[in-house]
Amino acid sequence: MAVVEVIKYNGGPDVFAWKYPSEELGTWTQLIVNESQEAVLFKGGQALDVFGAGRHTLSTANIPILNKIINLPFGGRSPFKAEVWYVNKIHSLDIKWGTSTPIQLKDPKYNIFIPLRSFGQFGIQIGDSKQFLTKLVGTLPSLDKNDILKFFRGVYLTKVKDSISSYLINKGVSVLEINAYLVELSEHLKERIMPTMDEYGINLLNFFVKDINVPEDDPAVIKLKEALAKRAEMDIVGFNYVQERSFDTLEGAATNPGSAQSGMMGAGIGLGMGFGVGGAMGNQVGGLAQNLNVQDTRRCPNCNLEMGATARFCQSCGFDVHKTTAEVETIDMTECSKCGAAYSKKSKFCPECGDSYNPCASCGADLAVGATACPKCGKSAPKPCPKCGTKIENENVKFCTECGESLLKKCGECGTQIVGDPKFCNECGNKL
């Protein structure tokens, strides 16, 4: 019976576990283990001894457990049957993974189902040789990168699909924007897959998601990208979908066949629809359909709205423009807190700068944004509730009458409630 004299590794570079082909061993056999490797001796399916890098002689000093099992007379070259497994413990960082078929996910931003594919790579190292061989390798003659991918495909595909879906839903991110979160997603997947690898004696060094993409020929993807391109074009030009439809209506009215007057009427109606958002301009253009003669205009002295030169009453506020100068001067006016222009207290916005009218509850003067008191009468300005925005007229109120939120100041550093209007917190000294 032949007895092996020297045992050494003859497997490939991508092999994680390799079994020495012969089981006929003998005492004083030389076992050679390379760097970044471990050799495990098996007898009867049981893992006995683990040998590190170097040259080892199979003797009672090296395999005491085997000596107890088969009671070998180590005084001579005694043959026995045993298995020798080599385990590579190098850092393998180029194991590639990917989704073989697209994953159907609902885009939370656009509410459509989009097929999604993902791929990347991960790195592993065999941490526990005995656990790796007994739990994963079994009776296989060897185990390489392809076997690792095959064994753990179900694990990483399930985790990838679940993690990407969670990110889309919880963060409200579109499928087309998910690539901005690849770093967070990779770390999250590593934490979720690592416990499964640990059960088989494998250390998961890293897990990278390199790209998440969608099939370019999918009908849903094509429609979504066309819509986004159209919206980008509108943003660049400076109009929205409603305005574009109004322009289409206007163009259709202008090309409407018929008599000259009906064409002019159609154009007037089209213009009225096109400027419908503008309110007053829409009304004036609508009036153009009733009166084709261009009229001079003037502004109402009460609300500053543009009106016909021959009209007596303003169509917005009903003011009689035939009043005398003395009567006009008695109109209740105020000054804009932003630009100083005078306008009627009946207006909602300044006719010069467009600033909204924020009247004082006491005298009606226009209050600037953030003002704490009226510059005319000195009355304290209503304070908005920090939670619901309700304006509180009474400055002594401690709680909001709508939502019950406390209106007392709190220190941003320690949270202490502030009484009065100090500049520093009396507890921690933080500047308020």
Side-chain angles (χ1 to χ4, degrees):
M1 182 183 343
V3 178
V4 177
E5 296 291 343
V6 178
I7 302 175
K8 62 179 181 179
Y9 178 78
N10 289 322
D14 294 334
V15 175
F16 290 104
W18 178 79
K19 177 184 176 184
Y20 189 77
S22 177
E23 299 180 4
E24 299 291 336
L25 308 180
T27 55
W28 312 112
T29 296
Q30 299 297 304
L31 176 64
I32 300 175
V33 183
N34 299 325
E35 290 288 345
S36 71
Q37 288 183 342
E38 283 184 347
V40 182
L41 196 65
F42 277 78
K43 175 64 177 177
Q46 182 181 359
L48 302 179
D49 292 284
V50 179
F51 299 89
R55 178 184 290 267
H56 306 275
T57 302
L58 300 185
S59 63
T60 52
N62 288 332
I63 49 175
I65 299 178
L66 183 63
N67 184 35
K68 293 179 182 179
I69 293 176
I70 61 178
N71 194 20
L72 289 175
F74 279 94
R77 294 177 175 243
S78 304
F80 60 92
K81 286 191 176 184
E83 299 175 4
V84 176
W85 279 89
Y86 282 92
V87 176
N88 276 327
K89 298 175 71 68
I90 59 173
H91 288 201
S92 183
L93 305 177
D94 59 344
I95 304 178
K96 296 178 174 57
W97 64 269
T99 54
S100 55
T101 57
I103 305 170
Q104 292 290 337
L105 294 177
K106 183 179 181 181
D107 192 299
K109 192 171 183 179
Y110 303 109
N111 294 321
I112 61 174
F113 284 93
I114 296 180
L116 180 147
R117 294 177 299 199
S118 180
F119 63 90
Q121 67 184 48
F122 61 91
I124 64 172
Q125 181 198 26
I126 307 303
D128 190 325
S129 299
K130 278 188 177 182
Q131 188 176 358
F132 175 69
L133 290 172
T134 55
K135 278 199 162 189
L136 193 63
V137 179
T139 59
L140 295 174
S142 64
L143 188 139
D144 56 15
K145 291 181 180 179
N146 293 330
D147 295 320
I148 292 290
L149 281 173
K150 180 178 66 175
F151 290 159
F152 293 99
R153 179 176 287 112
V155 175
Y156 69 71
L157 285 182
T158 302
K159 303 295 184 183
V160 165
K161 180 178 180 180
D162 181 65
S163 298
I164 294 177
S165 300
S166 301
Y167 261 77
L168 293 175
I169 295 173
N170 296 334
K171 291 184 177 291
V173 178
S174 170
V175 170
L176 303 180
E177 302 168 354
I178 192 64
N179 279 321
Y181 298 85
L182 291 185
V183 175
E184 298 179 26
L185 199 58
S186 298
E187 290 295 329
H188 180 66
L189 281 168
K190 177 185 175 183
E191 294 176 359
R192 298 197 61 185
I193 298 176
M194 188 182 296
T196 304
M197 294 286 199
D198 289 340
E199 294 180 8
Y200 298 93
I202 302 175
N203 298 331
L204 183 63
L205 303 177
N206 52 55
F207 193 94
F208 295 118
V209 182
K210 296 180 65 176
D211 188 24
I212 299 176
N213 54 46
V214 294
E216 297 294 335
D217 56 348
D218 185 80
V221 177
I222 294 174
K223 290 183 179 179
L224 177 58
K225 289 189 174 182
E226 288 177 352
L228 292 176
K230 188 67 175 178
R231 187 176 70 175
E233 179 185 353
M234 292 180 179
D235 292 339
I236 295 173
V237 176
F239 60 91
N240 56 31
Y241 179 77
V242 176
Q243 291 172 327
E244 183 187 28
R245 296 299 299 162
S246 300
F247 296 151
D248 293 340
T249 304
L250 176 61
E251 182 180 1
T255 57
N256 184 30
S259 63
Q261 184 171 355
S262 65
M264 195 67 180
M265 292 284 286
I269 296 173
L271 286 171
M273 294 181 65
F275 289 101
V277 182
M281 294 184 68
N283 293 333
Q284 292 179 31
V285 178
L288 182 64
Q290 299 176 358
N291 185 7
L292 299 180
N293 297 323
V294 179
Q295 299 179 355
D296 294 332
T297 61
R298 62 178 173 179
R299 292 189 176 275
C300 172
N302 184 29
C303 66
N304 205 44
L305 180 71
E306 190 172 319
M307 56 183 292
T310 59
R312 176 175 179 179
F313 296 96
C314 175
Q315 61 182 352
S316 177
C317 65
F319 179 74
D320 186 358
V321 297
H322 288 180
K323 288 184 178 181
T324 63
T325 305
E327 291 176 323
V328 173
E329 291 178 352
T330 61
I331 299 174
D332 196 8
M333 305 288 286
T334 187
E335 291 184 358
C336 176
S337 60
K338 186 174 182 180
C339 67
Y343 60 91
S344 172
K345 292 180 180 180
K346 297 180 181 180
S347 302
K348 295 183 179 181
F349 299 93
C350 173
E352 294 296 328
C353 65
D355 186 46
S356 61
Y357 177 39
N358 183 22
C360 171
S362 177
C363 65
D366 183 30
L367 300 180
V369 177
T372 58
C374 177
K376 297 292 184 182
C377 64
K379 182 177 176 61
S380 298
K383 296 181 179 180
C385 171
K387 185 176 182 181
C388 65
T390 302
K391 291 187 177 181
I392 309 300
E393 299 287 347
N394 190 346
E395 59 183 1
N396 296 323
V397 174
K398 296 181 178 180
F399 298 92
C400 177
T401 57
E402 292 294 328
C403 64
E405 176 73 7
S406 175
L407 302 178
L408 296 175
K409 291 183 179 179
K410 291 185 179 180
C411 174
E413 185 70 23
C414 63
T416 303
Q417 289 187 343
I418 307 301
V419 180
D421 193 21
K423 296 183 178 179
F424 298 91
C425 176
N426 57 2
E427 289 293 331
C428 65
N430 181 49
K431 186 175 181 180
L432 302 176

